[in-house]
Amino acid sequence: MQNQNTLLDHVTRMPLTVRMRRSAFWERSHLAGAQAYIVYNNMLIATDFMGAEEDYHHLKSAVQIWDVGVERQIEISGPDALRLVQMSTPRDIGKMARDQCFYIPTVDSTGGMSNDPVLLKRDEERYWVSIADSDLILYYKGVAAALGLNVKIQEADVSPLAIQGPYAQTLVLRIWGEAASDLKFFRHITVEVDGRKMILARSGYSLQGGYELYFEGQSGAGELWDTLMDVGADLDVKVGSPCQAERIEGGLLSYLSDITHDMTPFEAGLGKFCNMTQDVGCLAWEALRAKQSPTRQIRPVEIEGGPLPPQTTFWPLTSGSQTVGRVSSSCRAYDYDCNAAIGLIDAAHWSTGSALMVHTSAGPREAVVKDTFWGRSA
Ligand code: THG
């Protein structure tokens, strides 16, 4: 409670009510000097700490901690847990190991994307679905009720904390020791925080490497935050949040921006996460089989010229007088001295080198389709 006044002073234009849920780390990240807030899963996430360009360079050269508590955990447990989760995704989760995380496209019955969560296997009969911004829990509850499945579905009181950047490993080893150094990408271990066991995974919404701690409950969150800041002081640890420029140039997709509910996983470029050789139990199996060859797909796009205006609507992509797609996210890719963007492009125009026009909110620009996102190999 001691920060309550500071908190209220700072948010007079943003009334906090109980309904405006905040993660266990929200206050710390807010007081670290956030200059903006984003609403995600009906929660606030603090962002923009040093300014876009500085946040970007710092993430790529040091280490940051992010309050990503808005990544809510839908906990599905019980004898039918695996069956229910599998109904929502074409990725085969049957052989997931006990310590594994999977990036899974989730789909409605027509094969349209309903979310793109990270799935954590906690136990044979317990899963966490770490969701992007949509009320996916209602789908699970609806299907479970309709089919009379033997499962329990709830939003767990978990606040993921991301530790990202080239020095993330150094910082994590100082606190949780060697076990974390052997941890492979998208695997998790159990660590202790103040005597309580929690999951630490090697994952995160950046290409810089790092970890996500699934902090359970509320008490002790501030103390952990302060410990991370103290222990990482000589590594120049700073408070950050998912970095738009870094994730766009690297091709990390954002649900509701780059992926919309009318898109299939194939259109979203997530075909490699779909098992189409046999029916693994996804309710959209037949629908997806008929949609395996997309006629539009996500592609990296480079936009010519100097920095772009902020993007708040889809920008049409055209060829001659024809609309052939849209740009959903764009940024200044500072390290590459160019503009990087995520496009959804019709098949006739999606090949590498294809020259298009993009109609930004500040007028038309030339654009060209790339083969890979920046910093990614083919
Ligand atoms: N971490 C956790 N939950 C999340 C996110 C996260 N929920 C919301 C949102 N982010 C979901 N979206 C993504 C998008 C991309 C990735 C993770 C979550 C990602 N992709 C890697 C890539 O593209 O290189 C690896 C995918 C793979 O190979 O399996 O990490 O960030 N907990």
Side-chain angles (χ1 to χ4, degrees):
M1 282 302 103
Q2 89 203 38
N3 286 315
Q4 200 62 26
N5 284 336
T6 335
L7 205 54
L8 288 173
D9 289 347
H10 203 69
V11 294
T12 47
R13 308 287 311 255
M14 190 174 64
L16 294 176
T17 60
V18 172
R19 193 183 67 76
M20 220 44 205
R21 303 174 306 156
R22 281 140 280 153
S23 88
F25 298 109
W26 187 85
E27 187 167 310
R28 278 294 194 286
S29 89
H30 162 77
L31 293 173
Q35 296 172 50
Y37 298 85
I38 294 169
V39 174
Y40 194 97
N41 280 323
N42 306 310
M43 291 179 77
L44 290 173
I45 174 170
T47 184
D48 201 355
F49 291 88
M50 296 178 280
E53 184 164 0
E54 234 188 293
D55 286 339
Y56 168 99
H57 291 303
H58 181 266
L59 169 62
K60 289 182 155 197
S61 59
V63 51
Q64 297 184 349
I65 60 172
W66 303 349
D67 167 18
V68 283
V70 296
E71 296 168 357
R72 303 314 290 163
Q73 308 305 303
I74 303 176
E75 179 172 283
I76 303 179
S77 56
D80 289 330
L82 168 62
R83 188 174 156 214
L84 178 59
V85 178
Q86 186 67 82
M87 284 177 180
S88 72
T89 180
R91 186 163 182 185
D92 185 359
I93 61 166
K95 293 190 186 68
M96 257 180 116
R98 281 276 269 275
D99 66 342
Q100 231 170 350
C101 313
F102 268 12
Y103 180 42
I104 56 166
T106 62
V107 290
D108 63 24
S109 59
T110 69
M113 294 277 304
S114 57
N115 206 295
D116 69 328
V118 173
L119 175 67
L120 272 88
K121 183 166 182 169
R122 295 292 322 267
D123 229 318
E124 288 310 325
E125 295 190 353
R126 185 153 80 110
Y127 294 84
W128 276 353
V129 185
S130 183
I131 56 168
D133 193 4
S134 86
D135 290 323
L136 191 61
I137 194 169
L138 299 174
Y139 173 90
Y140 289 118
K141 287 190 173 180
V143 171
L147 298 180
L149 300 183
N150 190 356
V151 286
K152 185 173 164 202
I153 303 163
Q154 61 182 345
E155 189 185 286
D157 183 13
V158 173
S159 300
L161 178 74
I163 305 163
Q164 300 287 302
Y167 287 93
Q169 183 173 348
T170 310
L171 178 52
V172 161
L173 292 198
R174 287 181 187 175
I175 296 178
W176 289 294
E178 287 303 313
S181 72
D182 298 331
L183 191 56
K184 301 224 161 39
F185 187 59
F186 267 54
R187 298 275 172 165
H188 59 79
I189 52 171
T190 300
V191 295
E192 280 201 15
V193 177
D194 206 14
R196 281 139 62 207
K197 293 191 188 322
M198 293 180 193
I199 296 290
L200 180 73
R202 194 138 197 181
S203 56
Y205 200 59
S206 86
L207 268 60
Q208 306 311 311
Y211 301 79
E212 290 178 298
L213 176 76
Y214 291 79
F215 187 89
E216 299 193 44
Q218 300 289 320
S219 72
E223 287 72 13
L224 171 67
W225 183 277
D226 296 342
T227 301
L228 285 162
M229 296 303 286
D230 288 347
V231 172
D234 64 313
L235 304 173
D236 192 29
V237 64
K238 286 202 159 62
V239 178
S241 68
C243 175
Q244 278 286 84
E246 196 269 349
R247 74 103 188 151
I248 293 167
E249 69 178 25
L252 289 175
L253 305 180
S254 177
Y255 186 70
L256 295 185
S257 286
D258 312 311
I259 304 173
T260 47
H261 57 82
D262 59 321
M263 288 166 69
T264 66
F266 310 111
E267 291 177 332
L270 302 177
K272 66 177 173 189
F273 299 114
C274 302
N275 186 322
M276 299 310 293
T277 54
Q278 67 191 44
D279 182 358
V280 291
C282 175
L283 293 180
W285 164 247
E286 289 298 339
L288 285 173
R289 259 164 61 100
K291 295 178 178 177
Q292 276 187 84
S293 305
T295 57
R296 54 177 193 169
Q297 196 171 57
I298 284 187
R299 284 284 188 279
V301 173
E302 184 168 331
I303 300 176
E304 302 303 323
L308 297 161
Q311 183 168 4
T312 60
T313 56
F314 291 118
W315 290 342
L317 282 165
T318 59
S319 173
S321 59
Q322 226 189 327
T323 299
V324 300
R326 69 186 189 204
V327 162
S328 50
S329 298
S330 55
C331 69
R332 190 70 189 170
Y334 304 105
D335 279 348
Y336 302 94
D337 205 23
C338 71
N339 299 311
I342 298 174
L344 177 65
I345 308 176
D346 292 347
H349 298 273
W350 74 25
S351 57
T352 302
S354 176
L356 303 170
M357 293 297 287
V358 56
H359 300 266
T360 79
S361 52
R365 294 268 188 113
E366 288 177 7
V368 60
V369 179
K370 303 250 304 168
D371 58 344
T372 55
F373 282 94
W374 288 257
R376 295 266 200 178
S377 45

